[in-house]
Amino acid sequence: MIINVGSKNLIKVKAVKEILKDYRHLRMAKITAIEVSSEVGNQPKSLKETIKGAMNRAKNSFSDCAYSFGIESGLMAVPHTKTGYMD
């Protein structure tokens, strides 16, 4: 079984490998990192944009595999913080 990760970011790929250990039927899957566009800005600045980026990464990496994952990090507006945002 092949599972694609929509990023070549090693932290994201390692996160997928780590969580798959908890699922017996997915433990032996071959994990492939694929560079794809999130179709959002380099630094998403809302929960909505962050979720959209993760979904786009999963969709854009779904090719010749059983499953694909999309992981996106982003900022969210948080009042009373120095910059107005938190990761």
Side-chain angles (χ1 to χ4, degrees), residues 5-22:
V5 179
S7 177
K8 292 221 174 185
N9 179 312
L10 292 179
I11 294 170
K12 293 178 181 182
V13 175
K14 285 181 181 181
V16 171
K17 287 180 181 180
E18 184 65 28
I19 197 66
L20 292 183
K21 291 178 186 177
D22 292 341

Side-chain angles (χ1 to χ4, degrees), residues 4-70:
N4 292 340
V5 179
S7 177
K8 292 221 174 185
N9 179 312
L10 292 179
I11 294 170
K12 293 178 181 182
V13 175
K14 285 181 181 181
V16 171
K17 287 180 181 180
E18 184 65 28
I19 197 66
L20 292 183
K21 291 178 186 177
D22 292 341
Y23 299 89
R24 188 175 61 210
H25 65 290
L26 300 174
R27 286 182 192 153
M28 300 307 293
K30 178 185 176 198
I31 309 301
T32 305
I34 299 178
E35 190 65 40
V36 296
S37 174
S38 66
E39 300 178 31
V40 297
N42 286 340
Q43 184 61 73
K45 291 195 173 96
S46 69
L47 180 58
K48 183 178 178 178
E49 190 177 11
T50 303
I51 292 169
K52 182 179 179 183
M55 291 174 65
N56 288 341
R57 286 182 182 279
K59 289 176 186 175
N60 292 339
S61 64
F62 190 75
S63 178
D64 300 320
C65 63
Y67 300 101
S68 62
F69 283 78

Side-chain angles (χ1 to χ4, degrees), residues 71-85:
I71 300 174
E72 189 71 29
S73 178
L75 300 175
M76 295 189 323
V78 178
H80 312 294
T81 59
K82 188 174 185 177
T83 65
Y85 291 93

